[in-house]
Amino acid sequence: METLGGTGVAMAACSVLTPKAVTTFLLLVVPRVSQALTFSLPFQQPESCSHNQYFDVSALSCVSCGANQKRDARGTSCVCLPGFQMISNNGGPAIICKKCPENMKGVTEDGWNCISCPHGLTAEGKCHCPTGHILVERGVNGWLLSQATCELCDGNESSFTTASALGNVCVRCEPTFINATRSCECSEPNVLTGGLCFSSSESFPPHVISAARQGEPGMSFISEWFAKYLQSAAAACWVYANLTSCQALGNMCVMNMNSYDSVLVDACRLFQFIFEKTAGLSTVHSISFWRQNLPWLFYGDQSGLAPQILSSTPLPTNFSFKGQNQLKFVAASYDIRGNFLKWQTLEGGVLQLCPDTEERLNAAYSFGTTYQQSCEISLSKILTDFPTPIFYDVYLEYTDENQRQNIWAVPVLNLNLQHYKIFVNQDSSSAKWLLTRRIFLVDAVSGRENDLGNQPRVIRIATQISLSIHLVPDTKNGNIYPPLITIAYSDVDVKDPYSQFVKVSFSVKYEMNQGEAFVQTDIALGVLGGLAVLSSLLRTAGWKRRIGSPMIDLQTVMKFLAFYAGDLANVFFIITMGTGLYWLIFFKAQKSVSVLLPVPAQEERFVTYVGCAFALKALQFLHKLISQMTIDIFFIDWERPKGKVLKAVEGEGGVRSATVPVSVWRTYFVANEWNEIQTVRKINPLFQVLTVLFFLEIVGFKNLALMDSSSSLSRSPSSYIPPYSRILRYAVSTALWLVIGITQIVFFAGFYERFIEDKIRQFVDLCSVSNISVFLLSYKCFGYYIHGRSIHGHADTNMEEMNMNLKREAENLCSQRGLVPNTDCQTFQIAVSSQMRQHYDRIHDTLTRKNGPARLLSSSASTFEQSIKAYHAMNKFLGSFIDHVHKEMDYFIKDKLLLERILGMEFMEPMEKSIFYNDESYSFSSMLYYGNEATLLIFDLLFFSVVDLACQNFILAAFLTYLQQEIFRFIRNTVGQKNLASKTLVDQRFLI
């Protein structure tokens, strides 16, 4: 009831508010709301606070300390000044300090009390004690002494104690002091190093130990860590066989890149000295390179040892693409002081500096998955995440045939290793490599000078880590050789860690010996290349017959090379296509691993073959394009005048009879149709490009080209996406392009042309209806003839008569259209005699040059009139030639032999008579895009593939492929149209 009543009052108050009151309310409230929306504050850091200010972690700003106070070491609170004691401290920054009396100027260690100090004060105002003494401020029961005392620790044989590092308790001396001097002091001639004492009689290398940190030129200097701990670690390892010291010595050798030099006595030289001197000790696990008490750092420096280690003994286990296929790498990890930390798996990004999700990081160890990861990391983040290095001995865990768990040591190829100042591991010959075992990711310790508390001058980072796995040759069960870790370190000069970035990478690659594959490819290339030579020779011989020239000259050689380019392009295409499909099918479909994809370096030969195929196919395409745009063509008009008309004669004032002119529109119409079908193809280029792109990008076929064992077409956005294999990209895109292209061709030939539209046959029908024949010469003495002579005598008629003629023809009430009576064959391949060709050239030259010889045309006629007369002369000549008028240039008709059709050449030469070969396959389309679909399809495919191999982008490849199709189609149409107008005297303006 109270709530309801309160609500009612509020509603009543709102209901009586006047407009003026509302306005006043808004003016008062809005500025406050606007002010409250300002969320800006000064940016301050703890380092920016002065010595009498502390950083308030709640307000995130610098706040002044109270009276007689200064900020503490962390900078987030205050402490009393020397000579002042605390009298209040509730755990926050607000404390109260009080000055100590004159007779008690010292302050206890906890800061709460004043005390008298007999041996003076420290800079912090605390009591000071001499070396070897401990400070005592309270009694046994905890009561405060009025005056602090300094008690001497008993270093005699009965106690062997000395003051602790904090100086507050006596502890037992370091055992090495006791062993060397029987006391807690390391006096001469004994050697004090690294907090340890060694007797001068110990048989240690009598050389000056170098604390130099080996690195890149200009990056070598004295490391404070080496100077402080190298000698002591080596001595403890050698003298006492101290396991931790031996590990620490090994770590320092690894920090120095496992480099060995006979001049300097550095960490690796000392390690090698101890290794040689302990030859009498037993080995670990029967491994000769692993000496008891010492870490396993090297495999030995014998020449040719590395190839034996890497490729002599396969791992005694099998790997598969199905089921559990994770590589189980484990590592024994150690800290910089040589303490064993733990066994740990490499999953979760232990060796991967780049951050990522756990799923993507673990994908690196999925068998068969090529892995690549790279990024840039801030130097400040590296220094924060890796204050001290962690060292790893990597092993591969596996289960043997008895189901027992074993591990196999993974060798390391350190590219920074120097052997006698030579980078042997950067040599191309593996026989010179020196393999090692232990690695680290970041070393921010050895790069410190003078003081280990300082910021490192140089930081050493593993910028490139690569894990390579080699498949055993001829294996059927997925046997591999021991994996190899290749690592490269970079020294980074630390200047401004917040603005410096380092690029790091991690990769896993799978390799197999491709020698046999290369041999098989070379054999196929040799065999098919030889067949290509034979094919080109036959085609050149056929071309020589078709041009009527028996001489072998430069033109013949160039023609042979043009033919050979096309045939060799097909050879390269077949080889690359077969190779790509082989890898796609056998790699993706295998269960027990027997083949692995070629690595990028091994793909170079394949990419070269694809480039050769494209270049040679481009030459073939351009050769055919130029041939099509330069053919000789003429339209023979069979129409004759239907009578005479009266025509006025200019200048004579009279009228005389003249023949009715034959309409030229039929010729224009046929020429325009020929112009339109010049670039007709059996496929739709735009549909082809878009469909291929749809299957690759939308359906996901491009995922089949990823370098892993999965055959899935879809990938989760959260999963790791491997790099693409160029061979698989080529195989997938090529297979799709061919399947879609062939499907289009089959649909076009089997359905579209049969039930919808067949432009080639329609053109032949159009010639018959128009009473126009087409005479084509693709070579000097070879070409094609389309017989379009109307069986009705006239085609220049009205609609009624035209329909009647077509009806009679449909009802078989008239003769057939063929050149030979009672036949339907209208298309022919023709081989003309040289005499006929010469006569044709004489008239043809007049047509093209428009200034023919005087014996054929009147020299007084204008250029246009000469062309018209030349046109009529050509039309009359070709018509009479077809009608067998010229007995000296006659022809006969025959069928081609099967072998002639297969070889694409004619065995008979047209010596005295020309030869017309029946051609029911409409092969005159070879002068059009239509008859060269295979060449165009493969050229487009190779263009698409070359662009994709160069850019790794299917969308860009599709766009550029369609663009080049349109450019060449425009060139073909434009130049072909000009050639058509030039050769037939058809006005180019009518070719639309």
Side-chain angles (χ1 to χ4, degrees):
M1 293 299 295
E2 236 177 37
T3 305
L4 291 173
T7 305
V9 172
M11 293 176 62
C14 291
S15 65
V16 298
L17 285 176
T18 64
K20 183 175 181 181
V22 172
T23 303
T24 304
F25 173 77
L26 291 174
L27 291 174
L28 291 174
V29 173
V30 170
R32 296 183 181 182
V33 173
S34 300
Q35 184 177 3
L37 292 176
T38 303
F39 302 110
S40 175
L41 64 153
F43 176 54
Q44 294 182 329
Q45 295 178 308
E47 297 83 6
S48 62
C49 299
S50 62
H51 69 280
N52 61 345
Q53 291 181 320
Y54 72 95
F55 185 76
D56 190 331
V57 297
S58 176
L60 301 179
S61 60
C62 296
V63 180
S64 297
C65 292
N68 306 317
Q69 299 173 20
K70 65 177 182 177
R71 67 178 180 183
D72 64 1
R74 293 185 58 193
T76 57
S77 186
C78 298
V79 294
C80 295
L81 292 173
F84 290 82
Q85 69 178 110
M86 282 191 302
I87 60 174
S88 175
N89 185 354
N90 296 320
I95 63 174
I96 300 176
C97 300
K98 176 182 176 182
K99 186 175 179 61
C100 291
E102 290 296 328
N103 62 335
M104 302 178 73
K105 292 184 178 181
V107 181
T108 57
E109 289 292 327
D110 57 16
W112 284 96
N113 301 99
C114 297
I115 195 169
S116 175
C117 299
H119 297 282
L121 303 175
T122 64
E124 291 78 19
K126 307 296 176 66
C127 294
H128 171 72
C129 285
T131 303
H133 293 69
I134 60 172
L135 176 65
V136 178
E137 298 176 333
R138 298 181 183 274
V140 177
N141 60 355
W143 52 270
L144 182 68
L145 302 176
S146 60
Q147 183 177 14
T149 62
C150 293
E151 299 291 341
L152 177 64
C153 292
D154 184 11
N156 295 324
E157 188 169 353
S158 58
S159 301
F160 289 133
T161 60
T162 186
S164 66
L166 296 178
N168 59 354
V169 65
C170 291
V171 296
R172 185 172 176 83
C173 302
E174 166 65 36
T176 57
F177 284 73
I178 301 173
N179 294 336
T181 65
R182 303 302 299 172
S183 70
C184 290
E185 295 184 1
C186 189
S187 56
E188 294 184 354
N190 299 308
V191 179
L192 176 65
T193 176
L196 304 179
C197 185
F198 296 96
S199 172
S200 58
S201 61
E202 300 290 349
S203 56
F204 205 69
H207 299 283
V208 177
I209 295 178
S210 171
R213 177 188 181 277
Q214 304 299 325
E216 299 174 4
M219 297 289 188
S220 297
F221 52 87
I222 300 301
S223 166
E224 180 64 18
W225 181 265
F226 292 166
K228 193 170 185 179
Y229 296 111
L230 175 57
Q231 186 177 10
S232 59
C237 177
W238 165 239
V239 177
Y240 302 114
N242 185 281
L243 298 181
T244 304
S245 297
C246 291
Q247 296 291 338
L249 175 62
N251 291 343
M252 284 184 267
C253 177
V254 175
M255 285 193 284
N256 244 355
M257 300 290 94
N258 296 91
S259 298
Y260 182 84
D261 190 352
S262 58
V263 177
L264 295 176
V265 183
D266 57 4
C268 292
R269 178 78 181 278
L270 292 172
F271 180 87
Q272 191 66 23
F273 169 81
I274 298 174
F275 184 86
E276 294 173 355
K277 292 296 183 181
T278 56
L281 297 179
S282 62
T283 59
V284 179
H285 300 297
S286 301
I287 299 174
S288 61
F289 313 114
W290 197 350
R291 193 64 47 78
Q292 186 178 358
N293 302 329
L294 295 178
W296 180 10
L297 298 187
F298 299 92
Y299 277 89
D301 57 358
Q302 298 92 341
S303 178
L305 181 61
Q308 298 179 31
I309 295 171
L310 297 176
S311 58
S312 62
T313 306
L315 263 65
T317 187
N318 303 328
F319 293 92
S320 170
F321 281 168
K322 309 300 179 183
Q324 182 65 29
N325 64 342
Q326 285 290 108
L327 293 167
K328 297 180 181 180
F329 286 98
V330 295
S333 55
Y334 301 83
D335 66 9
I336 190 173
R337 297 183 180 275
N339 298 303
F340 175 79
L341 299 178
K342 60 181 178 179
W343 279 105
Q344 62 184 121
T345 176
L346 295 189
E347 292 186 346
V350 173
L351 297 185
Q352 293 146 276
L353 291 174
C354 295
D356 210 335
T357 64
E358 185 172 354
E359 180 183 2
R360 292 177 181 172
L361 291 172
N362 293 343
Y365 307 110
S366 177
F367 186 76
T369 299
T370 299
Y371 187 89
Q372 291 180 356
Q373 181 195 46
S374 63
C375 64
E376 286 191 350
I377 306 179
S378 169
L379 200 60
S380 62
K381 175 176 172 53
I382 293 178
L383 289 171
T384 302
D385 295 344
F386 299 92
T388 60
I390 302 296
F391 298 85
Y392 303 98
D393 292 343
V394 182
Y395 299 86
L396 178 61
E397 182 182 351
Y398 68 94
T399 304
D400 63 14
E401 57 186 9
N402 297 322
Q403 300 303 311
R404 289 180 301 184
Q405 295 296 112
N406 292 287
I407 54 176
W408 192 286
V410 177
V412 175
L413 183 68
N414 187 346
L415 300 181
N416 297 76
L417 183 149
Q418 297 184 57
H419 192 65
Y420 297 103
K421 299 189 181 301
I422 300 175
F423 291 97
V424 291
N425 288 345
Q426 297 181 16
D427 197 283
S428 58
S429 174
S430 61
K432 298 181 180 180
W433 292 351
L434 295 181
L435 300 179
T436 56
R437 283 282 298 124
R438 185 165 292 187
I439 62 172
F440 64 89
L441 298 183
V442 178
D443 173 18
V445 175
S446 68
R448 302 175 191 265
E449 286 185 300
N450 303 324
D451 189 351
L452 292 177
N454 293 338
Q455 176 177 279
R457 171 184 166 184
V458 174
I459 182 172
R460 179 166 284 162
I461 304 171
T463 51
Q464 295 179 19
I465 300 178
S466 176
L467 178 63
S468 57
I469 298 169
H470 292 255
L471 190 69
V472 175
D474 301 323
T475 181
K476 302 299 180 183
N477 300 314
N479 298 110
I480 63 172
Y481 288 120
L484 172 67
I485 296 177
T486 302
I487 189 166
Y489 293 92
S490 297
D491 289 340
V492 180
D493 191 3
V494 180
K495 295 179 180 178
D496 183 6
Y498 292 97
S499 63
Q500 288 180 271
F501 290 84
V502 181
K503 186 174 182 179
V504 298
S505 66
F506 180 87
S507 64
V508 181
K509 60 181 180 179
Y510 294 81
E511 303 179 53
M512 66 175 291
N513 187 355
Q514 300 291 341
E516 184 178 354
F518 290 155
V519 170
Q520 298 296 332
T521 302
D522 291 341
I523 292 174
L525 183 61
V527 173
L528 295 179
L531 295 177
V533 172
L534 294 178
S535 173
S536 302
L537 289 174
L538 288 174
R539 295 173 66 185
T540 305
W543 171 78
K544 291 295 289 182
R545 284 179 176 272
R546 291 178 176 183
I547 66 171
S549 172
M551 298 294 295
I552 298 179
D553 51 10
L554 180 61
Q555 183 186 11
T556 305
V557 175
M558 297 304 295
K559 204 69 176 180
F560 167 78
L561 293 178
F563 289 137
Y564 186 57
D567 292 335
L568 195 57
N570 294 333
V571 169
F572 278 116
F573 174 71
I574 292 172
I575 289 176
T576 53
M577 180 67 184
T579 302
L581 290 178
Y582 169 83
W583 289 115
L584 177 63
I585 295 172
F586 285 90
F587 176 73
K588 292 289 185 177
Q590 62 186 338
K591 182 178 180 181
S592 296
V593 181
S594 59
V595 295
L596 292 175
L597 289 174
V599 297
Q602 295 171 331
E603 290 179 332
E604 294 302 324
R605 178 182 292 197
F606 178 87
V607 174
T608 302
Y609 286 171
V610 175
C612 291
F614 169 70
L616 295 171
K617 183 58 70 172
L619 288 176
Q620 182 190 23
F621 170 68
L622 292 175
H623 174 241
K624 289 195 173 187
L625 191 68
I626 294 172
S627 299
Q628 290 184 9
M629 295 187 301
T630 56
I631 61 170
D632 291 326
I633 182 171
F634 191 82
F635 298 114
I636 306 172
D637 190 352
W638 296 102
E639 196 73 16
R640 295 295 177 259
K642 292 185 177 181
K644 296 185 178 182
V645 295
L646 298 178
K647 181 179 180 182
V649 181
E650 295 183 7
E652 298 181 2
V655 177
R656 66 180 182 183
S657 63
T659 57
V660 178
V662 175
S663 173
V664 76
W665 286 107
R666 292 170 298 98
T667 303
Y668 281 2
F669 186 54
V670 173
N672 191 66
E673 288 301 312
W674 175 266
N675 182 58
E676 288 184 358
I677 66 173
Q678 287 189 104
T679 53
V680 169
R681 294 184 60 175
K682 297 178 181 179
I683 68 170
N684 186 313
L686 180 59
F687 176 82
Q688 175 78 15
V689 169
L690 292 180
T691 306
V692 170
L693 200 59
F694 170 79
F695 279 100
L696 288 172
E697 295 289 342
I698 306 301
V699 178
F701 274 85
K702 69 175 183 179
N703 291 324
L704 292 176
L706 295 174
M707 299 181 72
D708 63 3
S709 59
S710 174
S711 300
S712 174
L713 298 183
S714 61
R715 299 299 175 96
S716 171
S718 62
S719 64
Y720 170 73
I721 305 299
Y724 287 98
S725 165
R726 289 182 291 181
I727 292 180
L728 295 189
R729 283 181 75 95
Y730 177 82
V732 172
S733 60
T734 301
L736 276 176
W737 193 283
L738 286 180
V739 169
I740 295 171
I742 293 174
T743 302
Q744 281 201 80
I745 294 173
V746 172
F747 171 81
F748 187 81
F751 179 80
Y752 188 85
E753 286 188 333
R754 180 172 297 183
F755 299 106
I756 299 177
E757 183 181 32
D758 186 346
K759 290 184 177 293
I760 301 302
R761 286 172 174 79
Q762 286 178 355
F763 178 76
V764 176
D765 291 339
L766 176 64
C767 290
S768 295
V769 174
S770 303
N771 205 14
I772 300 290
S773 292
V774 183
F775 191 84
L776 287 163
L777 286 178
S778 55
Y779 299 110
K780 182 179 180 180
C781 297
F782 182 84
Y784 306 92
Y785 174 67
I786 303 174
H787 186 62
R789 191 170 191 171
S790 176
I791 58 177
H792 306 290
H794 292 279
D796 197 359
T797 183
N798 56 33
M799 183 181 296
E800 181 181 1
E801 186 176 352
M802 178 68 73
N803 287 333
M804 287 296 297
N805 291 339
L806 293 177
K807 183 177 180 181
R808 290 176 57 205
E809 192 172 349
E811 295 175 353
N812 291 325
L813 298 178
C814 55
S815 61
Q816 295 176 319
R817 292 179 175 180
L819 176 60
V820 178
N822 298 320
T823 62
D824 284 331
C825 187
Q826 293 178 259
T827 55
F828 301 87
Q829 294 182 13
I830 58 175
V832 299
S833 63
S834 58
Q835 185 179 1
M836 187 273 173
R837 177 68 198 208
Q838 291 172 5
H839 197 84
Y840 175 88
D841 286 340
R842 284 198 294 269
I843 306 174
H844 179 264
D845 291 342
T846 308
L847 271 174
T848 54
R849 294 202 303 265
K850 299 183 178 60
N851 53 355
R855 66 178 181 273
L856 293 177
L857 300 171
S858 173
S859 59
S860 62
S862 66
T863 303
F864 178 73
E865 291 173 346
Q866 289 181 6
S867 298
I868 295 300
K869 291 182 178 181
Y871 168 78
H872 287 298
M874 180 66 78
N875 192 73
K876 182 178 179 181
F877 166 69
L878 293 178
S880 60
F881 171 72
I882 298 299
D883 285 339
H884 298 279
V885 173
H886 304 281
K887 298 303 179 181
E888 73 281 5
M889 293 182 292
D890 204 357
Y891 67 92
F892 63 93
I893 301 173
K894 69 183 296 287
D895 290 325
K896 263 195 171 183
L897 300 174
L898 177 61
L899 187 58
E900 287 181 312
R901 294 179 182 179
I902 294 174
L903 298 179
M905 62 184 299
E906 297 75 36
F907 296 157
M908 293 183 62
E909 292 190 38
M911 303 301 293
E912 296 180 356
K913 290 185 178 182
S914 301
I915 307 173
F916 278 44
Y917 295 98
N918 291 314
D919 180 23
E920 296 180 355
S921 60
Y922 297 92
S923 59
F924 70 88
S925 62
S926 62
M927 293 295 98
L928 309 170
Y929 265 14
Y930 183 92
N932 295 278
E933 187 58 57
T935 299
L936 294 171
L937 185 68
I938 296 176
F939 173 72
D940 292 341
L941 183 157
L942 289 172
F943 185 92
F944 178 89
S945 300
V946 166
V947 174
D948 177 65
L949 289 177
C951 305
Q952 298 281 291
N953 190 320
F954 285 127
I955 297 177
L956 177 62
F959 170 75
L960 293 181
T961 301
Y962 181 70
L963 182 63
Q964 67 85 13
Q965 288 174 342
E966 290 300 303
I967 290 174
F968 282 116
R969 188 178 67 85
F970 174 78
I971 294 173
R972 175 66 179 87
N973 276 332
T974 303
V975 180
Q977 183 175 307
K978 290 182 178 180
N979 180 68
L980 181 63
S982 172
K983 300 294 177 61
T984 62
L985 282 186
V986 174
D987 196 315
Q988 192 171 348
R989 290 171 293 181
F990 292 97
L991 300 176
I992 56 177

